[in-house]
Amino acid sequence: MKLTVARKELYEGLQIVSRAVSAQSTLEVLRNVLIEPGTDCIKLAATDLELAVEVLVPAHVEEGGVLTVPARTFSEIVAALPEADVSLANDSHERLTVACRRSTYHIAGLSAEEFPPLPEVASNVCLTLSQPLLKDMIKLTVLAASDDTTRPILTGVCCVVQGQSVTLVATDTHRLAYRRAQEVDHVTGETTVIIPRRALGELERVLEEGEGKKLEIRIDQNQILFRTERVTLVSRLIEGQFPRYERVIPQGHNRSWTLQREDLLGALRRARIVARDAAAQNRVVMQTEGENVVITAEAASLGTAREEIAIEREGDDLTIAFNVAYMLAVLGVLETEAVRLDLNEPLNPAVLRPVGDDDYLMVVMPMQVQ
Amino acid sequence: MPISGSGKERGWEVRTPQQVACLWFPDFEVVLELRRCPQFRGEPVALIGSGEGTAETVVRACSVRVRAAGVRVGNPAVLLSQRCPRAVVLPYDLPYYERRYAEVLLALDAVSPAIEPRPFDACFLDLDGIPGLDPLDPAPLAAAVRAVLPEGLVPRIGVASGKFVAWVAARTATPVRPILVADEERTLFLSQAPSALLPAEPELLQVFQRLGLRTLGDVARLPRRAMLARFGRPGERLHRLASGEDREPFQAMALSPVIREEIVFPMTAPSVADFYLALERLVRRTFRRAERRGRAVRQVRVQARLESGEVWERRLTLRRPLETPERVLAELRRRLEPGGGSHRPNGAFTELALEITSLAGSIEAQPALALDEREHRLEQLLAELEQLRARLGTPSVYRIVEREPWSRLPERRYALVNFEP
């Protein structure tokens, strides 16, 4: 192997693949990153056998040859190099030589033969999605996924491909996030799978914002593949049956509040200073008073908080309590000016929707008012 | 004496109270054993077990008579036969002492809401703002403490405006005469106390003895700079304490009741199925206890007494508080299985106990979405069974439990046990 690559691009590529490196693995090769030169680029790859990531980095390749080197050492060296072209070369002793200006490093590597290849994903279900759209879908749903490992199914995000629509749903049993994309191009097949939250988190990092940027998705029984121009990510799927989420989305409501998102976000952020006390359990109470909603929080050892914001309302007065962390998480990622809360009784699930966007909703279970 | 720490641990509140009481329980473990085995009262008693960080059997605690014979805590157990052949030797039962110490702290919660533990020989009580306690008279405090502690457990009590002075006062007090050290008397009081009471490593205290620093007054008379130069920051701290400058922070522990349930088997229970069946019952029983008050479980301790008499124990801290017995059980199963990090006991056992040692704030205040229809149906079924049980008065529903599915005898393969939701 003999090639030259821009330090910045090499470093960015390493940053992406390093997330899939298995730091705890007993297999030494899984702590390594694969370097495989192509014609005018190099492929960097890493895997922990649950998640595999490949990145293409533009490079001037003079000679081929494949090698794996410890991801951490290689990343640290590249991170510390000056902003200039980096030369990579290997020798017959599986050593990688990294040279940049007047710096030269030799890193002991391992043969690429031991490195597991990127898993093959059959084309049972294929579709093409806009990258910004998928990024938005992930951002809005993954926040509701559970971190309770005793219920592994809920640690993932359910992906439903049906007709021309793709839906992502996540729940931790206290809240449920639902995001649908309609009129999706080039969909073949239908399926319902559960994607690990981690895989979607890593994917979100690499998805680009620009309009017209597309990615290909392929799903088979056990795996899902996401491919952009530069990055390919393959993840195992979580086995099992996702709960029937449709049942918990309320079909009607007898009260509705429309609030300015920024106003609500600001009020809740301030109230959280009191509500986050252990005794307060993140509880904020929201109570209608005329055309306003009064938000209060109380912690015996800290004090009280009171915020008042204007609302447009339909229906009777109501006093209801929410976990402020759940509300802040969703309000922080929404981008619309206003949000609508559809409510029934104080202990019935509430539905938060961005005004003007019918494809997203968050069902939140209220807390006991006390 | 590890009086202070960083104070940043979860569940601890660090403050500086005006008045502190120190309760010293001399030979706490020995006293507990004598309460458990009263036939040994009056005898020299030594408790032996594995030393910390070593496989050697050492003396972990002993009574005054054993000490008088020249045996110290930490000495090899073989020394007992040479120096105190009449000593009654008992195994050091750490889980039992921990349980009893936790009970003592819970009982003292009725005297003061802020308690700093110092297992097992002492604890500190914050006396600020407690009605009925005269800051100049420790007698009402002693009476209040006596009223809540179990019979036979009589602490020595010292009261002062700092923890170290209170500790020294407790070490000087008698069971019937608590000692109060007023601020203006503290320097004189400390000057006569032995330097061995300083919170320092035994090696450092031995150095003090060799240097002739026998009392705190001897230490206080040295220049502080000399102590700093010779012993570093710890030396400066000891000099400060010996001089009566007691600014050690008070770390009040958030007390959580220990909810314990246990099953004693009429005969040894050898199988894995027995273990999990018993564990399931214990989890459900602990969840029904009123003290839980709807709070989620954060930490549990599982103990089994093995057929050999040894105690197997695992303390498992749950990654997040769990609010249903099913989820706690699932987590325990996962953690106790091979590969889960904490193996279940090997071999037959005669007793199994489960303790909820830490509870989180209530997360039942946050109801869950009704996601799973089956869970709902199960809840309804359990409610119906409860009604049936209440009406008939006897268990009428049984659970089929796999016992020894490999057995050639059909009646040994499965067993019917009372269905206990």
Side-chain angles (χ1 to χ4, degrees):
Chain A
M1 177 200 307
K2 194 172 177 189
L3 57 94
T4 310
V5 58
R7 191 212 73 99
K8 185 168 178 280
E9 288 181 343
L10 178 62
Y11 181 61
E12 282 174 2
L14 282 171
Q15 289 285 90
I16 295 169
V17 294
S18 296
R19 311 278 305 186
V21 171
S22 169
Q24 309 294 329
S25 176
T26 50
L27 288 173
E28 201 179 339
V29 76
L30 296 187
R31 296 198 286 266
N32 285 14
V33 59
L34 176 91
I35 307 167
E36 185 179 341
T39 49
D40 55 356
C41 64
I42 53 168
K43 184 172 80 180
L44 303 175
T47 179
D48 61 2
L49 303 180
E50 290 290 323
L51 182 71
V53 183
E54 276 186 10
V55 181
L56 299 179
V57 177
H60 175 66
V61 180
E62 291 173 39
E63 276 178 36
V66 194
L67 185 67
T68 75
V69 288
R72 190 171 168 187
T73 313
F74 188 35
S75 296
E76 283 183 11
I77 290 171
V78 173
L81 288 175
E83 202 56 70
D85 282 352
V86 179
S87 300
L88 303 180
N90 70 337
D91 60 21
S92 56
H93 302 293
E94 313 287 3
R95 282 198 319 174
L96 180 73
T97 303
V98 183
C100 180
R101 288 191 182 159
R102 299 167 71 180
S103 310
T104 306
Y105 290 82
H106 301 288
I107 307 171
L110 283 176
S111 163
E113 285 172 15
E114 295 174 39
F115 194 84
L118 193 74
E120 291 288 326
V121 181
S123 306
N124 298 0
V125 177
C126 294
L127 60 141
T128 304
L129 263 183
S130 141
Q131 289 192 36
L133 173 63
L134 183 60
K135 193 178 175 82
D136 180 62
M137 291 176 77
I138 294 170
K139 195 171 63 177
L140 288 169
T141 49
V142 83
L143 57 93
S146 172
D147 56 4
D148 178 4
T149 50
T150 62
R151 299 181 76 177
I153 284 170
L154 300 186
T155 61
V157 176
C158 178
C159 173
V160 182
V161 182
Q162 195 171 34
Q164 292 300 108
S165 76
V166 178
T167 308
L168 295 186
V169 184
T171 180
D172 63 359
T173 74
H174 297 137
R175 55 189 163 161
L176 180 143
Y178 170 99
R179 178 75 164 97
R180 182 179 54 183
Q182 300 189 77
E183 318 255 328
V184 176
D185 299 335
H186 314 302
V187 182
T188 56
E190 294 192 344
T191 190
T192 300
V193 293
I194 306 169
I195 309 168
R197 183 173 65 169
R198 179 180 161 225
L200 289 179
E202 300 307 334
L203 180 66
E204 191 198 341
R205 289 168 193 275
V206 299
L207 291 178
E208 295 177 49
E209 291 287 358
E211 281 300 319
K213 298 273 185 186
K214 298 275 184 185
L215 91 158
E216 176 199 352
I217 301 174
R218 273 195 270 159
I219 307 170
D220 69 14
Q221 281 188 326
N222 305 312
Q223 294 170 122
I224 185 164
L225 174 145
F226 301 93
R227 178 172 285 148
T228 69
E229 274 179 17
R230 286 182 62 211
V231 181
T232 305
L233 186 149
V234 180
S235 169
R236 276 180 188 268
L237 297 170
I238 297 175
E239 287 179 25
Q241 184 79 35
F242 200 77
R244 279 179 285 166
Y245 61 87
E246 302 91 339
R247 292 180 58 250
V248 300
I249 301 175
Q251 295 306 308
H253 58 272
N254 52 26
R255 297 169 176 89
S256 181
W257 302 348
T258 303
L259 310 100
Q260 291 302 305
R261 186 181 64 86
E262 284 291 344
D263 292 351
L264 181 59
L265 187 62
L268 290 174
R269 275 185 181 147
R270 290 187 292 273
R272 184 179 59 167
I273 297 167
V274 173
R276 69 187 170 199
D277 183 78
Q281 298 174 53
N282 270 340
R283 185 200 328 260
V284 288
V285 178
M286 300 172 80
Q287 183 172 18
T288 45
E289 275 188 18
E291 291 307 303
N292 293 313
V293 64
V294 175
I295 298 171
T296 55
E298 190 178 334
S301 59
L302 279 182
T304 62
R306 187 180 194 278
E307 293 278 348
E308 197 173 306
I309 49 177
I311 55 166
E312 287 172 29
R313 55 176 280 197
E314 293 168 18
D316 298 337
D317 279 336
L318 181 69
T319 303
I320 192 165
F322 289 107
N323 184 324
V324 69
Y326 296 168
M327 300 299 272
L328 285 175
V330 61
L331 290 169
V333 290
L334 284 174
E335 288 170 359
T336 57
E337 263 185 37
V339 291
R340 199 178 79 219
L341 258 174
D342 292 336
L343 306 155
N344 284 298
E345 300 307 317
L347 284 179
N348 288 0
V351 181
L352 183 91
R353 302 170 197 267
V355 171
D357 181 356
D358 293 336
D359 288 329
Y360 180 71
L361 61 87
M362 167 78 88
V363 182
V364 187
M365 199 63 196
M367 296 179 82
Q368 306 272 2
V369 179
Q370 269 191 330
Chain B
M1 184 177 66
I3 288 180
S4 67
S6 70
K8 288 179 182 168
E9 297 91 339
R10 190 176 166 279
W12 295 74
E13 184 194 351
V14 180
R15 53 201 300 266
T16 311
Q18 299 289 317
Q19 201 76 335
V20 176
C22 175
L23 275 56
W24 174 45
F25 302 96
D27 303 326
F28 182 74
E29 298 97 316
V30 175
V31 170
L32 290 182
E33 288 297 350
L34 291 177
R35 287 182 66 215
R36 190 154 66 164
C37 314
Q39 68 272 26
F40 299 133
R41 280 192 185 145
E43 301 286 337
V45 175
L47 309 179
I48 62 167
S50 302
E52 283 175 18
T54 165
E56 190 184 16
T57 303
V58 297
V59 177
R60 300 287 303 271
C62 59
S63 62
V64 179
R65 288 182 61 186
V66 175
R67 280 199 294 274
V71 180
R72 295 281 177 273
V73 170
N75 284 162
V78 290
L79 208 63
L80 283 166
S81 56
Q82 298 163 13
R83 297 191 179 169
C84 192
R86 286 192 51 239
V88 175
V89 180
L90 299 170
Y92 190 81
D93 190 351
L94 180 65
Y96 178 71
Y97 311 140
E98 283 180 341
R99 223 159 49 230
R100 294 291 167 261
Y101 185 75
E103 285 171 9
V104 165
L105 295 185
L106 269 179
L108 289 171
D109 191 40
V111 178
S112 168
I115 302 173
E116 180 181 322
R118 212 198 83 174
F120 296 116
D121 65 348
C123 65
F124 297 94
L125 309 186
D126 174 0
L127 302 182
D128 285 358
I130 297 178
L133 292 185
D134 182 351
L136 299 175
D137 180 11
L141 170 70
V145 167
R146 264 198 305 274
V148 297
L149 287 185
E151 200 179 332
L153 200 59
V154 184
R156 319 280 172 90
I157 300 174
V159 180
S161 58
K163 281 198 314 183
F164 178 67
V165 185
W167 160 249
V168 176
R171 292 297 301 255
T172 321
T174 67
V176 292
R177 193 177 68 86
I179 288 186
L180 171 89
V181 182
D183 277 354
E184 56 275 17
E185 296 167 2
R186 61 159 62 187
T187 312
L188 179 65
F189 172 76
L190 288 177
S191 67
Q192 293 153 4
S195 60
L197 294 178
L198 281 168
E201 296 296 321
E203 296 78 18
L204 183 57
L205 295 177
Q206 281 172 10
V207 173
F208 281 10
Q209 295 298 314
R210 282 205 302 276
L211 295 173
L213 304 173
R214 302 199 188 284
T215 65
L216 295 175
D218 295 336
V219 177
R221 275 189 289 278
L222 291 172
R224 187 164 298 176
R225 271 181 298 138
M227 287 288 284
L228 180 65
R230 176 75 170 79
F231 302 109
R233 288 281 169 207
E236 187 200 22
R237 172 175 169 245
L238 297 180
H239 188 272
R240 202 162 29 77
L241 291 174
S243 309
E245 294 171 36
D246 191 354
R247 296 194 299 268
E248 303 286 312
F250 186 94
Q251 294 174 264
M253 186 187 76
L255 287 174
S256 178
V258 174
I259 302 174
R260 180 183 170 87
E261 286 287 344
E262 58 190 21
I263 293 176
V264 179
F265 296 89
M267 58 187 74
T268 54
S271 76
V272 175
D274 289 327
F275 177 76
Y276 283 119
L277 180 64
L279 196 61
E280 182 180 347
R281 284 188 168 205
L282 291 172
V283 170
R284 292 188 187 283
R285 280 192 206 164
T286 50
F287 263 78
R288 283 201 292 267
R289 292 273 291 270
E291 305 96 290
R292 195 174 65 85
R293 292 194 296 230
R295 286 172 291 177
V297 175
R298 183 81 204 173
Q299 188 185 60
V300 298
R301 180 158 52 192
V302 187
Q303 289 174 345
R305 191 169 289 280
L306 305 181
E307 199 176 17
S308 61
E310 283 178 66
V311 176
W312 169 94
E313 179 184 302
R314 291 288 182 276
R315 188 190 290 265
L316 302 169
T317 302
L318 309 178
R319 189 173 291 177
R320 51 167 295 190
L322 299 179
E323 72 280 20
T324 64
E326 290 80 15
R327 295 173 79 175
V328 171
L329 261 172
E331 181 68 5
L332 291 183
R333 273 181 178 272
R334 193 180 68 78
R335 301 269 292 269
L336 292 171
E337 280 301 307
S342 315
H343 301 300
R344 59 172 184 268
N346 282 326
F349 51 95
T350 55
E351 287 175 38
L352 189 68
L354 179 84
E355 288 178 359
I356 296 177
T357 48
S358 177
L359 292 163
S362 169
I363 60 170
E364 286 176 0
Q366 171 69 71
L369 296 162
L371 277 168
D372 198 333
E373 214 171 23
R374 283 171 304 173
E375 275 186 11
H376 269 286
R377 281 208 296 270
L378 185 64
E379 274 174 21
Q380 286 173 345
L381 183 65
L382 294 178
E384 297 289 339
L385 288 176
E386 273 299 315
Q387 284 187 11
L388 201 61
R389 188 193 304 266
R391 194 186 302 168
L392 299 176
T394 53
S396 48
V397 182
Y398 299 90
R399 187 194 291 263
I400 300 169
V401 178
E402 207 175 56
R403 270 186 66 87
E404 294 172 17
W406 56 84
S407 175
R408 288 188 298 134
L409 305 173
E411 61 272 31
R412 295 197 66 168
R413 288 183 202 148
Y414 300 97
L416 285 179
V417 298
N418 291 340
F419 182 79
E420 216 177 306

